Amino acid sequence: MSETAALTVAVCQFSPTASRADNRARIAELTADAAVRGARLVVFPEYSSYFVDPMDATLVANSESLDGDFVGALQATASAHDVTIIAGLVESAGDRVRNTLVAMDAAGLRAAYRKQHLYDAFGQTESDWIEAGELGAPETLDVGGLRIAMMTCYDLRFPEVARTLVDVGADVIVVPAEWVRGPLKEHHWTTLLAARAIENTVYVVSADHPTPIGVGHSQIVDPQGVVIAGVGTAEGIAVAELTKDAVTRVREVNPVLRLRRYGVVPR
């Protein structure tokens, strides 16, 4: 892997709705805009395929398989603009659903991730409708010379999730979310994004829902915890260039992964 590898990434902050067709159309529009701005990886929020607040039984009725309309539309959009897209899918799972991230390019599905830690906190009970993902070896994908790994929203509060991704070689952790608003929630969101970047010396790329449901503030954070691009509270796109060299340089001066005494040394 070249140390000079570079990847332009876009985070697209938008409000998914109960119209699956509208969501697919909006993703296509935002991807086209991001591609014009040079993005080769385009990241969308959790629940991009379908979203209702509060959650209800319509989640099951509007869930899709990994070869359904949503995934097919992502592949077509990725092909049209020569990009890789990561977005949240409400995936079918019998009488329940899974909260799934899919990474798609012109060739098809590159990787999938099913949310492991469900949002049963702050008065919410995501587990009423969602089946948690199984623990296992993380799926990753290489884009533009950087290795990409994924986690979802509430997983951000569990440092071990990010560490397992770094242990399989991740340079970039992508975090689609629907980070619900509430007291101090914006502070938690931005603090945890920076913390996961700093403690793992990786880029963290996050895409949230805008207000009034989410907190917004989708961000691209560098391996030292500095926000290098971001969106406010409304819909929008932020774009930044990520480089393998930046990860390497930070790890040379701050070799926390090599010096730690728990776990394994990443490849």
Side-chain angles (χ1 to χ4, degrees):
M1 185 179 294
S2 170
E3 295 299 295
T4 60
L7 172 66
T8 301
V9 175
V11 291
C12 297
Q13 183 167 288
F14 90 110
S15 298
T17 70
S19 171
R20 289 183 286 162
D22 287 352
N23 294 336
R24 294 193 299 266
R26 186 68 179 131
I27 287 170
E29 292 170 357
L30 291 166
T31 300
D33 191 351
V36 167
R37 297 168 64 176
R40 301 273 62 84
L41 173 65
V42 186
V43 179
F44 290 91
E46 179 183 24
Y47 293 114
S48 284
S49 70
Y50 180 81
F51 183 71
V52 287
D53 180 54
M55 291 183 183
D56 58 29
T58 64
L59 284 170
V60 175
N62 288 278
S63 63
E64 301 183 32
S65 67
L66 290 180
D67 59 359
D69 291 343
F70 182 74
V71 170
L74 291 188
Q75 182 177 359
T77 299
S79 178
H81 300 287
D82 189 25
V83 299
T84 300
I85 299 173
I86 293 176
L89 165 70
V90 179
E91 184 189 4
S92 302
D95 59 355
R96 297 169 68 76
V97 301
R98 297 187 184 94
N99 187 335
T100 301
L101 302 179
V102 291
M104 302 294 301
D105 65 12
L109 182 67
R110 294 283 307 280
Y113 172 80
R114 296 175 176 92
K115 189 175 185 179
Q116 295 176 354
H117 297 90
L118 301 183
Y119 186 54
D120 289 0
F122 299 97
Q124 306 281 330
T125 51
E126 190 177 35
S127 63
D128 285 347
W129 312 104
I130 311 295
E131 178 182 291
E134 295 181 2
L135 303 181
E139 295 185 21
T140 64
L141 64 153
D142 290 345
V143 184
L146 285 87
R147 181 161 295 176
I148 314 297
M150 301 177 286
M151 68 165 70
T152 311
C153 199
Y154 196 56
D155 287 323
L156 186 65
R157 292 184 180 270
F158 299 84
E160 58 270 28
V161 179
R163 187 50 58 86
T164 63
L165 302 180
V166 173
D167 283 345
V168 295
D171 305 301
V172 182
I173 297 176
V174 171
V175 190
E178 199 289 287
W179 199 267
V180 180
R181 294 183 72 194
L184 296 176
K185 293 295 291 301
E186 178 183 315
H187 170 63
H188 291 182
W189 170 244
T190 55
T191 299
L192 290 168
L193 291 172
R196 298 295 87 86
I198 293 167
E199 69 196 7
N200 292 293
T201 55
V202 291
Y203 287 99
V204 174
V205 175
S206 64
D208 191 23
H209 292 215
T211 57
I213 304 293
V215 301
H217 293 286
S218 300
Q219 297 180 347
I220 301 171
V221 184
D222 79 4
Q224 297 193 88
V226 176
V227 178
I228 56 176
V231 185
T233 58
E235 288 199 354
I237 300 175
V239 178
E241 183 181 78
L242 318 187
T243 68
K244 177 68 175 179
D245 182 62
V247 176
T248 300
R249 283 188 285 104
V250 171
R251 290 179 178 177
E252 286 175 349
V253 298
N254 182 25
V256 291
L257 300 177
R258 178 170 58 81
L259 296 177
R260 65 186 168 123
R261 299 179 66 189
Y262 296 86
V264 299
V265 177
R267 294 178 296 189

